[in-house]
Amino acid sequence: MTTELIPNIRNFSIVAHIDHGKSTLADRLIQTTGGLQAREMVEQVLDSMDIERERGITIKAQTVRLTYKAEDGETYILNLMDTPGHVDFAYEVSRSLAACEGSLLVVDASQGVEAQTLANVYHALDANHEIVPILNKVDLPAAEPDRVKEQIEEVIGLDASDAVQISAKTGLNIEGVLEAIVKRLPPPKGDASAPLKALLVDSWYDVYLGVVVLVRIIDGKLKKGMRIKMMGADAVYEVDRVGVFTPKMIDIPELTPGEIGFLTGSIKEVADTRVGDTITEDKRPTAAALPGFKPVQPVVFCGLFPVDAAEFDELRAAMGRLRLNDASFTYEMESSAALGFGFRCGFLGLLHLEIIQERLTREFNLDLIATAPSVVYQIALRDGSEIDLHNPADLPDVMKIEQIREPWIRATILTPDDYLGAILKLCQERRGTQVDLTYVGKRAMVVYDLPLNEVVFDFYDRLKSISKGYASFDYNITDYREGDLVKLSVLVNAEPVDALSMLVHRNRAEGRGRVMCEKLKDLIPPHLFQIPIQAAIGGKIIARETVRAMRKDVTAKCYGGDISRKRKLLDKQKEGKKKMRQFGKVEIPQEAFIAALKMDS
């Protein structure tokens, strides 16, 4: 089998930190190569979701095929992958990089190298990519291209002497980028006569076409009418359509080695098209499957419940549809005494959680309550078995537990020197241990080991507020370590409220319990009887607040006369309240849950 170079194709992705101009550069490349006419162009043309446009972030990696006539007179096919920059979508980035041979590393010429610039470059280097550094926003008054070039060489170790200097917004030197892609990035290799071997890069659900599968052809050819086999899922389909995105969907007769395109084949479930699977011909299969990707592991879990219990079926349908387009989101049914039926959902991080929640609210008009986010704990029981705990309410009896292990992360924080003290203090408060502290130009790079459950609450918000938005943060999960963790339960009128229980470190339990009780005291409306609100660890109450009873003045009609008559009426009222408290049910309004769960430490 001869693997030959395919000289006129370039597959590349754009990697960068959030807001350094990936999607804008993609817009300019599409415009310059004539992928869309001027009237069809919109800002961030590849960010197709409303949320992506509003927040100015990329969530789904998108692909587009461009045709470029270079200075040497040759015509090249450029397959561009626009990838997300945020740490929660690193999974999307790694898949897109596997389909390419090279990357454009976009760095903001005024901001310099940020935490996620580093993370994304390492993803690209792991995929053996050739990397072309690009300095964007050189038209800004604050741009310092020479300083940033030095920084790229110092921090990342890439030669940045011939970095392409551009302004994606104004379109300055976009031709230079196209020439660099053609000259400096390697062409793909492949054998057209070999059996079909294609990498499944992504899949999503289209109402009219069924499942659309994005593929990168390694060897062989993919044509309409062919019977293909997914090697991992062991499923066979007939191909209905083969095509490419320019970024409009265009049908073509066949896809050949090195090309990236889509296929449809009346596939009903996105679950059948596993990302990273190998697609081959049914009759003439390829000898070995591609290595694929490791399955995605959710790190943050929370319960999602409909505010109106009657909307449960709509929520189930909506989750099913979202799961079709987002393989990294997992869910299973759960019920809660306080909130009724809902789902326990797994996410890649807090931003992912927020985006999914917003998409459910927006695209499906659902009103939802999310319980406090928690991470996955490993619990070793005394009988030698181990379980993974997703929901703190399901913690086994303390007497059966040998140890509880929690996930730890290695966090990289880049910050201007002025805010270093406050950031170190924040990391220490969150039980962090410092690993490294170095300087990159005028900015400090801090590396910390932190427990993930201290980060999922509000660490990112706190970090942004104490650094006035200048610090950037990236993390990856390293290992599980034993922790002195306890289950904090909240009791309202002596009844435990499962939706508010959480696992916390013993040293932080009292503070958190106090805050929770104080918050609920203001949120639960007064009833006709006193309501005690307590925070407890096992059988030990560590904090208490009381909601005062509403009082009716039963002595109002006694004016003057004997005091014993008033006493009698008050005692009768007291008895009634005591009885009421025994049988009375405390109604906790939904707003109280929502506000209590948005707990700020």
Side-chain angles (χ1 to χ4, degrees):
M1 188 176 113
T2 56
T3 309
E4 61 221 40
L5 288 174
I6 301 136
N8 286 19
I9 296 181
R10 297 289 182 274
N11 297 322
F12 66 97
S13 57
I14 305 181
V15 292
H17 186 76
I18 313 149
D19 276 351
H20 280 202
K22 289 184 297 300
S23 298
T24 313
L25 174 59
D27 288 356
R28 290 297 89 77
L29 293 174
I30 292 168
Q31 210 171 357
T32 312
T33 55
L36 288 175
Q37 291 160 9
R39 63 186 175 78
E40 295 173 303
M41 278 304 291
V42 287
E43 292 277 313
Q44 275 92 33
V45 68
L46 294 181
D47 290 347
S48 49
M49 282 190 253
D50 291 346
I51 296 185
E52 289 183 313
R53 291 175 177 286
E54 279 171 29
R55 289 177 174 241
I57 57 175
T58 303
I59 295 166
K60 285 294 283 178
Q62 300 284 355
T63 175
V64 59
R65 174 183 174 128
L66 308 168
T67 312
Y68 171 61
K69 193 162 179 158
E71 287 170 1
D72 58 11
E74 290 279 333
T75 302
Y76 291 88
I77 289 172
L78 311 179
N79 289 308
L80 147 69
M81 290 263 188
D82 181 21
T83 59
H86 201 281
V87 59
D88 284 14
F89 305 110
Y91 180 65
E92 287 279 336
V93 178
S94 64
R95 311 200 292 215
S96 308
L97 297 181
C100 305
E101 284 79 34
S103 291
L104 303 183
L105 168 67
V106 180
V107 182
D108 184 326
S110 58
Q111 303 268 356
V113 175
E114 300 268 8
Q116 276 150 25
T117 314
L118 279 175
N120 289 334
V121 167
Y122 292 143
H123 278 307
L125 290 172
D126 288 345
N128 295 326
H129 276 204
E130 185 66 41
I131 296 173
V132 176
I134 288 178
L135 300 187
N136 189 16
K137 311 190 186 181
V138 292
D139 57 327
L140 293 181
E144 300 175 78
D146 296 333
R147 179 182 68 82
V148 175
K149 275 185 193 175
E150 270 177 38
Q151 216 179 18
I152 292 173
E153 287 176 359
E154 247 178 67
V155 183
I156 304 171
L158 275 181
D159 177 19
S161 53
D162 50 359
V164 187
Q165 299 191 21
I166 65 160
S167 163
K169 196 170 182 182
T170 60
L172 172 76
N173 199 17
I174 297 298
E175 286 285 336
V177 178
L178 289 161
E179 283 300 316
I181 292 167
V182 168
K183 292 193 178 115
R184 290 161 62 180
L185 294 183
K189 295 176 181 157
D191 178 7
S193 58
L196 171 68
K197 185 191 232 177
L199 172 71
L200 199 159
V201 182
D202 199 0
S203 57
W204 60 93
Y205 190 77
D206 184 289
V207 186
Y208 303 107
L209 304 169
V211 177
V212 181
V213 179
L214 185 68
V215 292
R216 155 72 202 267
I217 310 291
I218 311 289
D219 291 323
K221 291 180 179 172
L222 178 70
K223 300 178 191 157
K224 187 179 166 177
M226 206 171 178
R227 282 184 76 72
I228 55 162
K229 182 180 185 182
M230 313 271 180
M231 291 177 85
D234 202 23
V236 178
Y237 299 102
E238 189 169 317
V239 180
D240 294 340
R241 282 177 72 178
V242 173
V244 292
F245 293 100
T246 69
K248 295 177 287 200
M249 273 180 138
I250 291 179
D251 288 14
I252 59 170
E254 63 176 19
L255 284 170
T256 55
E259 291 191 298
I260 295 175
F262 70 87
L263 69 93
T264 65
S266 51
I267 307 169
K268 303 282 185 295
E269 281 284 325
V270 174
D272 302 342
T273 54
R274 286 187 221 142
V275 168
D277 202 346
T278 307
I279 297 176
T280 187
E281 210 175 330
D282 186 30
K283 294 279 183 289
R284 194 171 69 125
T286 181
L290 294 159
F293 306 117
K294 58 179 189 285
V296 58
Q297 291 295 325
V299 294
V300 177
F301 282 81
C302 89
L304 287 180
F305 295 86
V307 169
D308 176 3
E311 285 185 346
F312 175 73
D313 287 333
E314 283 97 275
L315 176 62
R316 188 202 310 242
M319 294 234 178
R321 284 182 60 187
L322 261 194
R323 173 96 175 100
L324 289 179
N325 285 8
D326 187 348
S328 50
F329 159 61
T330 60
Y331 66 92
E332 58 186 37
M333 219 182 109
E334 77 165 353
S335 64
S336 145
L339 301 171
F341 287 106
F343 292 93
R344 189 94 200 145
C345 306
F347 307 93
L348 299 181
L350 280 188
L351 179 72
H352 189 206
L353 183 156
E354 215 177 295
I355 296 288
I356 292 277
Q357 213 179 325
E358 198 164 322
R359 284 184 68 186
L360 285 168
T361 309
R362 263 202 202 174
E363 294 171 25
F364 305 99
N365 294 325
L366 293 165
D367 258 355
L368 299 175
I369 298 173
T371 63
S374 77
V375 297
V376 185
Y377 298 96
Q378 290 178 348
I379 294 180
L381 300 172
R382 290 186 192 275
D383 63 5
S385 61
E386 285 205 2
I387 55 170
D388 283 352
L389 181 79
H390 296 166
N391 187 348
D394 301 336
L395 187 75
D397 183 5
V398 187
M399 301 311 292
K400 294 180 183 170
I401 296 172
E402 183 69 44
Q403 59 169 215
I404 303 177
R405 290 191 291 273
E406 58 179 338
W408 279 65
I409 61 169
R410 177 148 293 181
T412 307
I413 301 167
L414 277 138
T415 171
D417 202 21
D418 312 354
Y419 311 112
L420 183 62
I423 286 173
L424 293 178
K425 185 167 176 252
L426 173 70
C427 292
Q428 292 294 357
E429 279 171 8
R430 298 300 168 97
R431 302 191 281 131
T433 49
Q434 190 175 322
V435 179
D436 196 11
L437 172 59
T438 50
Y439 275 85
V440 181
K442 291 179 186 168
R443 297 168 70 202
M445 185 164 107
V446 193
V447 180
Y448 252 90
D449 279 352
L450 287 157
L452 184 61
N453 82 343
E454 298 286 351
V455 174
V456 296
F457 259 98
D458 57 349
F459 181 83
Y460 194 63
D461 299 345
R462 291 282 305 279
L463 179 72
K464 284 292 181 199
S465 64
I466 59 181
S467 67
K468 299 192 170 55
Y470 283 110
S472 63
F473 167 71
D474 178 71
Y475 69 86
N476 58 313
I477 290 187
T478 50
D479 56 354
Y480 276 79
R481 302 182 195 174
E482 189 179 347
D484 186 11
L485 300 168
V486 290
K487 179 180 166 186
L488 179 68
S489 311
V490 176
L491 309 167
V492 175
N493 200 21
E495 290 286 323
V497 182
D498 56 355
L500 297 177
S501 57
M502 59 179 100
L503 277 182
V504 288
H505 194 266
R506 198 178 293 276
N507 300 345
R508 313 264 324 245
E510 195 175 322
R512 216 163 239 183
R514 283 225 168 99
V515 172
M516 200 60 130
C517 290
E518 281 167 18
K519 223 162 187 190
L520 282 171
K521 180 190 171 190
D522 300 334
L523 295 165
I524 294 176
H527 287 51
L528 289 168
F529 49 91
Q530 250 188 21
I531 303 169
I533 299 167
Q534 297 158 315
I537 297 173
K540 184 183 172 194
I541 304 293
I542 55 167
R544 170 177 169 140
E545 293 287 339
T546 308
V547 179
R548 299 276 303 270
M550 284 196 289
R551 243 180 111 221
K552 182 183 173 192
D553 191 357
V554 285
T555 59
K557 55 182 185 287
C558 312
Y559 34 96
D562 187 4
I563 184 72
S564 61
R565 189 159 163 235
K566 289 185 180 177
R567 202 51 300 135
K568 199 164 136 190
L569 286 167
L570 287 168
D571 287 346
K572 198 172 165 190
Q573 184 187 33
K574 205 168 171 185
E575 279 302 308
K577 284 198 187 291
K578 195 172 168 188
K579 196 171 179 184
M580 223 183 224
R581 194 170 141 203
Q582 265 176 332
F583 303 108
K585 195 170 178 330
V586 179
E587 288 296 326
I588 306 177
Q590 301 285 18
E591 300 78 63
F593 272 113
I594 297 166
L597 293 169
K598 281 186 183 162
M599 198 173 100
D600 192 354
S601 60

